Amino acid sequence: MPSTELPPEDWALSPYTGWTRAHWEAVADRLLAAVRRYAGPEHALIDLPGGRPSLSGRRSDSLEGYARTFLLAAFRVAGSGGADPTGLMRSYARGLAAGTRTPTTERDLADGDQVSWPCIDERPQALVEAASIAVALRLTRPWLWDTLGEQTREQVRAWLAPGVRPSPVDNNWWLFPAMVGAFLVDAGLDHDGSAQHAVDRGLTRIEQWYLGDGWYTDGRPRAFDHYNGWAFHLYPLLHAHLSADGDLLKRYGPRLAAHLDGYAGTFGADGAPMHQGRSLIYRFAAAAPLWAGALTGHSPLAPGTTRRLASGALRYFVDRGAVDANGLLPLGWFGEYEPMVQTYSGPASPYWASKGFLGLLLPADHPVWTAVEEPGPAESADRVLALPQPGWLIQSTAADGLVRLHNHGSDDQPADQVLPDNPLYSRLAHSTATGPVFDGPPDNHFGLVIDGEVSERGRIRPLGAGDGWAASAHRPRIGGRELPGVTVTSLVLARGADEVHAHLVGGAEPGTAVRHGGWAVAGRTAETATDGLLASVAVTDPQGARLASALTNIEGFTAADARWLSRGTALGAIGAVPVLVGTTHAGTTMFVSAARLDRSGSGGFPGPRVHVQGARIRVSWPGGGEHEAELRVGGVTVATVRPGD
C-alpha cells in the first residue's frame, strides 16, 4: 500500500510508528474498497482471486469473503458511530438478504446461482463464518439489523439456527456456536432457549483447556499459538463486553490481563508478531487481544504501549507488501508463501486479520488513541521471561528489538496419536525475524540421523521453565515410529542475545549421527561462513537490515556447516541455516552448543563461557550472571548461581 494513500505520519503523537487512528481507518477503507470489485450479485458472495480454493470449496471461500470483510466493515462503521459514507451497511445488508434467501448444499459456484450461501449443517466451515457474521450484526445492529424487514430477519435466523448445535471440531470452534447464539439472544430470536444454551455450553467447554496464567491449549493437550489471543480471549470477553455481563467480565478480564503480561513481550521492535503456530496468514489479527484489553479495561499495558504494539504490527505488514498491488491480502506472511498455508485456508481466509481492527471500537478521544506512544517490552531492556504454562522462554534484546521464543512445551499433537512434526509448532525456537524451514534441513532442531532421515520430536514433555531456562524431553521418531529406548532431554539457557543449548541423548546405538540446526535466516541476499566448529549465516532483508545467525560447538559435535535453503522461508527467498553434526557414544552422550540471532551483522562470538563435565553444565554470561544445570534422562535440575546485572 503506497504511503501516498495514507495520512501524514504524526511522530509527535506516535514517536515509534508515526501512525494514528487515521491510519487504521485509511487501511480499513482501502482493504474494504479493494474487495468490493470481487463481490458477486447483490454483494452476497465475495469471490477473491487465488491460486487454489480451500478444502471447503469455492462457495464456502466466497462466503468467507463476505463474512470476514463484513467484520472489518462492522468495526469501521460501529467505531464511527454509524457514519457510513461509502454505504457499507447497505451492501452487506443486501448480501445478507440474498445469501440466506435459498441456502444451498452446492460446493462450487454454479453458473445459475452466484448468491446462495452454503448451509451450516452441510458445510462446517460455514459455522466459522456465521460467527463472524453474528458478531458483525451485534456490532452494527442499529445501522443494519434494525433496518431489515421481517422476512429477511426470519431467513437470516433460519440460516443461523443450525449454528447453535454442538461444534463438529473439539477446540476453539466451540466459541463459534456461542457467538451465533449470543446474537440470536441479543436479537430476541432465542425462541426455544437453544441459543443461550449454545453460549453457556461453549463457555463451559473451553474451561477444560484453561491452564492458568492467561493460557489456553487449543483442544489438544499442548497446542499453544495465536488462537489464545484472537479466539479464546477475544470471543468470550467481547461477548461479555457487548452483553454488559459483569460476572463474565470478572472471569475473563483478569485472564486476558495475565495473558497480555507475557504476550506483549512477543512483539519485535519492528512490529513483527511472533512467527509461530498455524493460521499466520491472519497477520495483524495478532493485535486483537491488545485492543480487547483496552476496550474492556483489563490490560497491564499503558494506553500508549497498546497503540504502539498494535500500530507496529499493522505497519510491519503494510510496509512489507502484505497488501498486494490489487489491495488484497495474499496467502502468506508478506506476499504469497504456500508452504505456510493450511489446507483449510482459501483466498479470503487472510481477512480474519479484520480482528486486528477491534481498536476502532474505542472512540477517538480514548487514551489509547490520544496518549503518546510508549515503548514495547522488547524495546525497553533485554529480557528473558519464562512462561511455564506453554513451556516457553521469551528472550528479547533491546539493541535490535528481536524477540525469540524457545519452545519446550507446544507440539500441537492430538491426545490419541502422534502426527508428523509441524514446523510451526515443533521447533526448539521461533522468533519475530525468522520463519521455519518447510523443505530442507530443519532449523532450530536437534535430531538423530538414521539412513539420511532426521528424527522428529513428536510429543514434547515439558520439564519446566524458569529464570533464564526452559527444558523438555521427547522420544525421537523416524517414519512415524519411536526409536526404541531412545530419549532426548533438552535444555536452553539464555541471557542477552546468547543462547546455550544442551541435549542429552540416552539409549541410542553408539555411533548414531546427530544433527543440530540453528536459526534459519532468509532475505534478499545471504552469505555463509564456517570456521572450525562455528557456522554462520548473514542476510539482508528488503528494508536493508542485516540479520545474522551463528551456531558453534561447545561439547560433543565434530563438524559445522551452513546449508542453503531451496525455498527460503516466509520472510525471504534466499537463506541458509547453520548446522552442527556429531555422533553418540555408549550410554548417554551430551551435546552442547552456543547460538546467536542478532542484527549486528556478525552473528559472532565470543559469547558465554561454558564448562561441561559429563551431564553437568556451567554457564558464565557476558556482563555477569551464572547458571548451573544437570541433565539426566528425562529430567533436569537448573540453578541460578549468580544473578546477572
Side-chain angles (χ1 to χ4, degrees):
M1 183 176 294
S3 59
T4 54
E5 297 182 8
L6 298 172
E9 295 162 333
D10 185 341
W11 293 104
L13 182 63
S14 302
Y16 290 90
T17 70
W19 280 25
T20 66
R21 180 186 176 94
H23 291 83
W24 283 85
E25 293 172 340
V27 174
D29 290 343
R30 280 153 181 76
L31 289 173
L32 288 165
V35 300
R36 271 187 155 178
R37 70 177 69 104
Y38 300 100
E42 301 181 79
H43 206 86
L45 296 170
I46 299 179
D47 185 20
L48 297 180
R52 60 157 181 80
S54 73
L55 285 177
S56 297
R58 191 173 160 203
R59 185 177 297 275
S60 176
D61 293 348
S62 299
L63 172 61
E64 277 192 359
Y66 173 94
R68 300 187 180 199
T69 60
F70 181 25
L71 186 60
L72 176 56
F75 290 141
R76 183 69 177 96
V77 172
S80 299
D84 185 13
T86 61
L88 290 167
M89 293 300 97
R90 290 194 301 274
S91 295
Y92 283 96
R94 289 172 56 228
L96 186 70
T100 58
R101 191 179 300 131
T102 55
T104 181
T105 60
E106 289 183 0
R107 180 181 177 88
D108 295 317
L109 288 176
D111 291 340
D113 185 353
Q114 299 289 313
V115 299
S116 296
W117 290 356
C119 300
I120 293 175
D121 49 359
E122 295 287 341
R123 187 66 53 201
Q125 184 62 34
L127 172 61
V128 183
E129 311 320 316
S132 291
I133 292 168
V135 171
L137 287 172
R138 288 186 82 181
L139 292 171
T140 61
R141 183 172 174 178
W143 310 289
L144 197 159
W145 181 258
D146 290 349
T147 70
L148 300 176
E150 286 302 319
Q151 179 177 342
T152 299
R153 291 189 194 185
E154 172 54 27
Q155 68 190 42
V156 173
R157 184 209 62 78
W159 182 78
L160 287 172
V164 302
R165 296 172 185 169
S167 167
V169 184
D170 196 25
N171 60 7
N172 72 86
W173 274 48
W174 285 97
L175 292 170
F176 301 143
M179 294 304 99
V180 172
F183 166 69
L184 293 175
V185 170
D186 188 60
L189 299 174
D190 186 18
H191 303 314
D192 59 3
S194 61
Q196 185 60 54
H197 179 65
V199 176
D200 297 338
R201 181 186 60 216
L203 297 181
T204 299
R205 187 70 176 178
I206 68 171
E207 287 300 301
Q208 66 181 311
W209 299 315
Y210 184 65
L211 303 183
D213 299 330
W215 287 94
Y216 294 84
T217 181
D218 193 6
R220 294 177 172 182
R222 302 203 62 81
F224 304 99
D225 51 31
H226 284 286
Y227 279 84
N228 261 270
W230 64 43
F232 282 106
H233 286 293
L234 177 63
Y235 285 125
L237 201 55
L238 183 58
H239 165 63
H241 173 72
L242 294 175
S243 303
D245 190 320
D247 290 338
L248 290 182
L249 286 169
K250 288 178 182 178
R251 179 195 304 175
Y252 296 116
R255 291 184 184 183
L256 174 61
H259 180 73
L260 292 176
D261 198 46
Y263 179 70
T266 66
F267 289 83
D270 59 0
M274 185 58 60
H275 195 95
Q276 181 273 340
R278 65 190 177 96
S279 298
L280 293 177
I281 60 170
Y282 302 159
R283 298 179 175 95
F284 38 84
L290 302 170
W291 293 125
L295 180 68
T296 62
H298 291 92
S299 175
L301 306 174
T305 302
T306 294
R307 189 176 80 254
R308 184 270 173 275
L309 294 174
S311 292
L314 180 62
R315 182 161 193 177
Y316 171 78
F317 288 107
V318 171
D319 283 353
R320 289 163 176 78
V323 181
D324 69 17
N326 295 317
L328 303 177
L329 298 173
L331 287 163
W333 187 245
F334 301 142
E336 290 189 7
Y337 189 70
E338 186 275 334
M340 65 176 281
V341 181
Q342 287 72 44
T343 56
Y344 56 73
S345 294
S349 296
Y351 286 84
W352 241 34
S354 298
K355 294 181 177 184
F357 289 83
L358 178 71
L360 291 179
L361 295 181
L362 291 157
D365 61 356
H366 189 280
V368 81
W369 294 117
T370 62
V372 175
E373 282 185 344
E374 298 182 36
E379 297 164 296
S380 302
D382 290 359
R383 188 169 79 150
V384 180
L385 175 68
L387 298 176
Q389 294 298 351
W392 289 348
L393 190 70
I394 307 300
Q395 175 192 15
S396 59
T397 42
D400 54 17
L402 294 181
V403 184
R404 310 144 188 88
L405 183 159
H406 299 283
N407 174 35
H408 288 267
S410 183
D411 55 26
D412 195 35
Q413 293 289 353
D416 58 350
Q417 60 178 317
V418 180
L419 300 175
D421 279 4
N422 182 338
L424 292 165
Y425 291 91
S426 62
R427 296 298 193 240
L428 287 163
H430 307 268
S431 85
T432 56
T434 63
V437 177
F438 290 90
D439 183 14
D443 60 294
N444 282 313
H445 181 76
F446 178 89
L448 284 67
V449 185
I450 298 177
D451 296 330
E453 189 171 353
V454 182
S455 67
E456 298 186 328
R457 291 176 89 183
R459 197 178 305 283
I460 298 170
R461 181 164 66 89
L463 299 177
D467 182 14
W469 68 275
S472 62
H474 70 276
R475 296 187 177 276
R477 303 171 65 85
I478 288 182
R481 298 177 180 272
E482 287 186 2
L483 299 179
V486 182
T487 299
V488 176
T489 306
S490 301
L491 166 72
V492 62
L493 301 167
R495 179 72 59 83
D498 293 306
E499 313 161 22
V500 174
H501 297 268
H503 305 281
L504 183 69
V505 179
E509 288 290 326
T512 301
V514 302
R515 181 187 300 168
H516 185 197
W519 291 101
V521 292
R524 64 181 183 185
T525 64
E527 55 191 48
T528 66
T530 56
D531 182 4
L533 294 178
L534 164 67
S536 62
V537 182
V539 302
T540 302
D541 68 21
Q543 284 67 44
R546 285 183 56 88
L547 180 66
S549 165
L551 184 66
T552 190
N553 170 68
I554 299 295
E555 178 77 16
F557 295 104
T558 57
D561 192 12
R563 303 191 179 182
W564 292 96
L565 308 178
S566 61
R567 301 182 67 179
T569 73
L571 284 88
I574 301 173
V577 58
V579 173
L580 295 173
V581 297
T583 56
T584 61
H585 308 302
T588 59
T589 309
M590 185 81 152
F591 297 92
V592 183
S593 63
R596 283 178 69 96
L597 176 72
D598 62 41
R599 291 200 180 277
S600 69
S602 64
F605 295 93
R609 297 193 311 275
V610 184
H611 177 70
V612 181
Q613 184 176 11
R616 295 176 179 269
I617 181 172
R618 185 184 184 100
V619 180
S620 300
W621 301 103
E626 292 184 355
H627 276 101
E628 281 189 355
E630 181 177 5
L631 282 72
R632 57 190 180 276
V633 174
V636 64
T637 302
V638 183
T640 303
V641 179
R642 182 164 55 89
D645 296 337

